[in-house]
Amino acid sequence: MPYSSDVAAAEALTTSYQKLKNEISKVVIGQDDTVRLLLTAIFCQGHCLLVGVPGLAKTLLIQTIAGALDLDFNRIQFTPDLMPSDILGSETLDQERNFKFIKGPVFANIILADEINRTPPKTQSALLEAMQEYSVTIAGQKYALGRPFFVLATQNPIEQEGTYPLPEAQLDRFMFNIYLDYPSYQSELDIVKSTTSDKKYDVQRVITGEEIREFQQLVRRVPVVDNVVEYAVKLVHKTRPNTEMAASDANQYLEWGAGPRASQALILAAKCNALLTGKYSPDIEDVKAVALPILRHRVVRNFKAEAEGISVEQLIKRLL
């Protein structure tokens, strides 16, 4: 849907965002920050990792967002015996004994990778090419994935038995690492009342794939002043221990810092955050608003930080 100007497109994005929030709130109570970050990632063409204990509606939230977007949606339940071909697809013989490629569930616009840390690294890595290149390679043949394409993965932090932590290289491909906390007392009252009755909620589709692609291009066209870019890049450099611009906390408590993808994600997310709050250009406050979910999975604490009980979140807040 072409817009008369970028200002008109920005207003349409804000309107669509409010409509999406209203539709999602019919089913998912609370979790406003999580919804904002998930929709920001979608408008920035990024992927998300949701981390939280069981029962916090991670899967329901992603299914509800998929229902409000006019896009193909597939859910993949990750288990220890899942194979890469169960995700990507495989070649089989047809009736004429010719090889034919049968597409796997990754060929959709939105992929819910449920409990992604419950499958071995061999299967986790099946998503790497899809997330980065928007294509998959089977038997030497490359197959393009439809656009837009998002991987929204969930992970339970307390399940240590039989889990396989995601490698740093794959974590880095997720734009946001979103922590879901327990709901407040009032929110949980509302959740229990709404989910133990026979009331049904219909989620309307309010935005198409074509509109999402338009908004993704719009986000990239948002102008950014140099001092905001410099702030974002300096913030990332501060996380890198034993480098010229490293913060003292990083030298003391971090094993590894964030890479250039973090700087790119900070600027893209700040641009989108500005548009969603009615501004036409991001400022340093927009970078700060998205810094925690962008950096928390890209820095690695050392033994000293773990021994002293200093969390990644505390270190990032000190750097901010």
Side-chain angles (χ1 to χ4, degrees), residues 34-268:
T34 304
V35 170
R36 179 179 61 82
L37 287 171
L38 275 168
L39 294 177
T40 298
I42 285 171
F43 293 134
C44 291
Q45 207 173 330
H47 310 289
C48 272
L49 180 65
L50 272 79
V51 181
V53 296
L56 296 184
K58 298 185 295 294
T59 303
L60 177 66
L61 174 57
I62 293 170
Q63 287 174 329
T64 306
I65 287 176
L69 304 172
D70 193 11
L71 298 172
D72 292 332
F73 169 71
N74 277 334
R75 175 186 176 183
I76 306 169
Q77 181 65 51
F78 282 75
T79 57
D81 60 349
L82 197 73
M83 296 297 288
S85 58
D86 296 329
I87 298 172
L88 305 178
S90 57
E91 290 200 320
T92 58
L93 286 169
D94 62 15
Q95 290 172 330
E96 284 78 41
R97 300 187 66 78
N98 295 318
F99 278 108
K100 181 184 177 186
F101 177 60
I102 305 296
K103 290 181 176 180
V106 77
F107 285 88
N109 299 117
I110 299 180
I111 304 298
L112 165 53
D114 220 353
E115 296 185 303
I116 194 170
N117 60 329
R118 294 202 54 182
T119 203
K122 178 181 180 181
T123 307
Q124 290 174 358
S125 64
L127 280 174
L128 278 176
E129 184 186 358
M131 290 169 70
Q132 189 64 30
E133 312 292 336
Y134 300 99
S135 65
V136 298
T137 305
I138 306 288
Q141 181 74 36
K142 201 166 193 170
Y143 299 91
L145 295 168
R147 299 289 193 95
F149 176 77
F150 315 106
V151 174
L152 305 176
T154 70
Q155 185 175 313
N156 294 332
I158 57 172
E159 288 184 359
Q160 299 304 326
E161 288 293 322
T163 60
Y164 306 83
L166 286 172
E168 275 72 24
Q170 186 154 3
L171 280 173
D172 195 38
R173 283 167 169 79
F174 286 101
M175 184 175 197
F176 290 135
N177 180 347
I178 305 170
Y179 269 31
L180 272 77
D181 210 347
Y182 291 110
S184 66
Y185 175 73
Q186 188 56 51
S187 292
E188 195 159 342
L189 278 178
D190 296 337
I191 289 166
V192 172
K193 285 176 185 173
S194 70
T195 54
T196 53
S197 70
D198 63 349
K199 201 169 181 183
K200 293 279 189 292
Y201 297 96
D202 277 338
V203 176
Q204 304 295 319
R205 293 180 178 241
V206 295
I207 186 169
T208 65
E210 189 183 340
E211 286 173 312
I212 290 171
R213 287 195 294 274
E214 287 274 345
F215 292 145
Q216 286 173 345
Q217 292 305 313
L218 171 70
V219 167
R220 289 182 174 269
R221 290 198 300 271
V222 170
V224 191
V225 292
D226 284 348
N227 75 307
V228 174
V229 179
E230 286 162 13
Y231 176 82
V233 175
K234 274 180 189 168
L235 178 60
V236 172
H237 272 259
K238 280 185 190 176
T239 68
R240 298 171 185 168
N242 306 316
T243 58
E244 193 183 340
M245 298 175 75
S248 59
D249 275 337
N251 288 331
Q252 202 173 354
Y253 295 116
L254 290 180
E255 185 80 33
W256 200 253
R261 275 200 193 103
S263 303
Q264 294 167 333
L266 282 169
I267 291 302
L268 268 178

